[in-house]
Amino acid sequence: MAERLDVAQRLAEGRPAVEHTQSYMRACRLLGYEHPDLTSHPAQIRDWYDSEDGLDLRALDGDCAQLRAAAAAVMEALRMQRAQVDELAAAWSGPGAESAVQFLQRHCDAANTAATEVRAAAQRCESLRDNLWHLVDVKVATAIAIDDRTLAHRPAWLAAADTVTTGVGDRQTADELVQQQIKPHVDNDIRTDRLSAMRSTQAGVAASYDMVIDRFVAAAPAYFGIPDELRTGRAPFQPAPASALEATAALAPAAAFPHPAVDPAPAAAPETPTTQAPTTTPGAPAPPTPPISDLGTGGLGGASAMPSGPSGVGSRAGLDGLGGLASRIVDAMSGLLGSAAERLNDPSGLDDPAGTEDPFEPDDNADDDDDDHESDAEPEKPEDIQTIEAQEAKPVDGPPPAAGPPPGRRTAAGGRTAG
């Protein structure tokens, strides 16, 4: 006896009955019997019987076991998810909590639908497995039962069918036996009962598969909601508009936005400041002009004292302007100091005419008593005041005027120029 769900072994048990029926049908066909479902080709009876050959119900049984396990796992996950929803509702409150709980509850509902369908799929597959096994078993049992109806006549019928088929033996006696006994059996039992059982088995197998497939197709789908931010293929994130960023920057403290570093000014080729040399009397020595480096360390208080920054004062252009201004100041001072020195060396030069006194010359009586100084000091002449105002009113940016020898200055020949 074949084990349950062993289709191959069960079919093997009914195959001898099929071979008997095939021998009867072949002999009847040679003697003129025709039926489209029985005599279309020599192996048609065997084809009807082997329609379920290769069916592996044990594999289907294994699928049912896996579906059962999956259904159990899904139900356990659903139980845990529902417990977590309850914990979330207890630990969190407010509108956000309500929205989250509702979202997770919808997930629980979808999971419940999925778990129900998995469990139903396991049941459908189990039903398919049992139905297929029942159909195969009934078909085999029907084939064996129909063959057993002729158990008493089987040896003689098989010998007569073999003689008609091969032509070996008493052909006349065999032909009469086939015509009188075997052909009525084929036309009644085989064509009616056996053929109906084969057709019923094939139709039952197809109906079993269709029923399960239809139930799978008709199953309600389960949808698990996903937030729009987590969906694949969504539009890329758009940055905030510039107006929003400006509003945020206005509200934020100034220290939160560091100032960008100012790019240093490009290095330029050094340029020599061009200043107009003062005009001197032929034969007189030209006053020395200190270089820019001397001005930066001496007369202007050093380079470190000059400010630097984006205003350009400490840049190359600023140094050129300061250097030109300092050159003009030094030229004017050297001319005045040189005139005063010559006047001190020449006693006759002490009595300079009015309007030629150097305003930058220190007072010789500075060390005397204040009362003597007040009594000896002479009032400034109008010409001296005009000279000082004229020197202070010289434009800084323009070139210095051509300076001739001061009044009362001696020439190289030792003579005295007219005042």
Side-chain angles (χ1 to χ4, degrees):
M1 185 66 180
E3 296 180 359
R4 185 178 181 272
L5 304 180
D6 192 349
V7 175
Q9 187 178 0
R10 183 57 176 158
L11 291 175
E13 292 176 352
R15 194 156 280 116
V18 175
E19 296 300 329
H20 298 160
T21 304
Q22 186 68 48
S23 297
Y24 302 153
M25 187 60 62
R26 188 181 303 114
C28 293
R29 181 175 178 273
L30 291 176
L31 296 177
Y33 181 82
E34 296 291 340
H35 192 279
D37 294 332
L38 297 175
T39 60
S40 297
H41 55 86
Q44 194 168 6
I45 298 296
R46 188 180 297 112
D47 291 344
W48 277 106
Y49 183 78
D50 291 338
S51 59
E52 287 74 41
D53 188 19
L55 181 62
D56 192 354
L57 295 182
R58 289 182 173 175
L60 181 59
D61 183 63
D63 295 339
C64 294
Q66 292 182 0
L67 286 173
R68 282 290 183 183
V74 172
M75 292 301 298
E76 178 63 19
L78 177 59
R79 184 192 64 79
M80 295 175 60
Q81 187 173 3
R82 287 174 175 170
Q84 291 174 355
V85 172
D86 296 338
E87 293 179 0
L88 178 63
W92 191 14
S93 62
E98 294 178 0
S99 178
V101 169
Q102 293 176 2
F103 180 79
L104 294 178
Q105 188 61 48
R106 290 193 296 270
H107 265 247
C108 290
D109 296 340
N112 185 32
T113 302
T116 302
E117 289 302 325
V118 172
R119 188 168 55 240
Q123 295 175 353
R124 296 185 191 114
C125 289
E126 291 172 353
S127 177
L128 176 63
R129 175 200 64 192
D130 297 339
N131 290 337
L132 293 177
W133 172 250
H134 174 72
L135 292 172
V136 172
D137 184 63
V138 168
K139 181 178 76 169
V140 173
T142 302
I144 294 173
I146 293 173
D147 186 57
D148 288 343
R149 294 175 186 177
T150 62
L151 183 60
H153 308 284
R154 183 180 300 167
W157 288 10
L158 290 176
D162 185 67
T163 299
V164 172
T165 303
T166 61
V168 178
D170 188 355
R171 178 64 183 271
Q172 184 177 359
T173 303
D175 289 348
E176 291 178 358
L177 183 60
V178 169
Q179 290 288 351
Q180 296 175 2
Q181 298 180 14
I182 298 177
K183 188 177 288 187
H185 169 70
V186 169
D187 191 50
N188 294 323
D189 297 339
I190 303 302
R191 182 182 64 83
T192 304
D193 298 339
R194 180 183 172 81
L195 185 57
S196 297
M198 299 301 109
R199 288 173 176 173
S200 177
T201 300
Q202 289 187 355
V205 170
S208 298
Y209 278 109
D210 292 341
M211 179 179 62
V212 173
I213 292 174
D214 292 342
R215 289 182 179 179
F216 277 126
V217 172
Y223 296 101
F224 292 87
I226 301 176
D228 294 337
E229 291 78 3
L230 302 180
R231 291 183 182 275
T232 57
R234 67 179 180 86
F237 174 75
Q238 298 296 335
S243 59
L245 295 178
E246 293 175 358
T248 305
L251 295 176
F257 299 94
H259 297 285
V262 179
D263 295 336
E271 297 179 358
T272 303
T274 57
T275 57
Q276 185 176 1
T279 305
T280 58
T281 304
T289 301
I292 297 299
S293 58
D294 295 340
L295 293 175
T297 56
L300 296 180
S304 60
M306 288 188 285
S308 61
S311 61
V313 176
S315 61
R316 181 65 184 178
L319 289 176
D320 293 341
L322 293 177
L325 176 61
S327 299
R328 291 193 294 271
I329 294 175
V330 170
D331 292 342
M333 293 293 293
S334 61
L336 294 175
L337 294 176
S339 175
E342 291 179 357
R343 289 167 58 187
L344 292 175
N345 294 331
D346 187 3
S348 62
L350 295 177
D351 299 331
D352 290 336
T356 61
E357 181 177 327
D358 190 354
F360 296 95
E361 182 178 357
D363 193 359
D364 294 337
N365 300 324
D367 295 333
D368 296 339
D369 186 71
D370 292 340
D371 296 336
D372 298 340
H373 177 72
E374 291 177 359
S375 60
D376 296 340
E378 296 180 359
E380 294 181 354
K381 299 179 181 180
E383 292 83 355
D384 296 339
I385 298 175
Q386 293 178 0
T387 303
I388 295 175
E389 291 178 353
Q391 291 178 357
E392 292 179 353
K394 288 182 181 180
V396 176
D397 295 336
R409 183 171 182 175
R410 298 180 183 274
T411 63
R416 184 179 182 87
T417 58

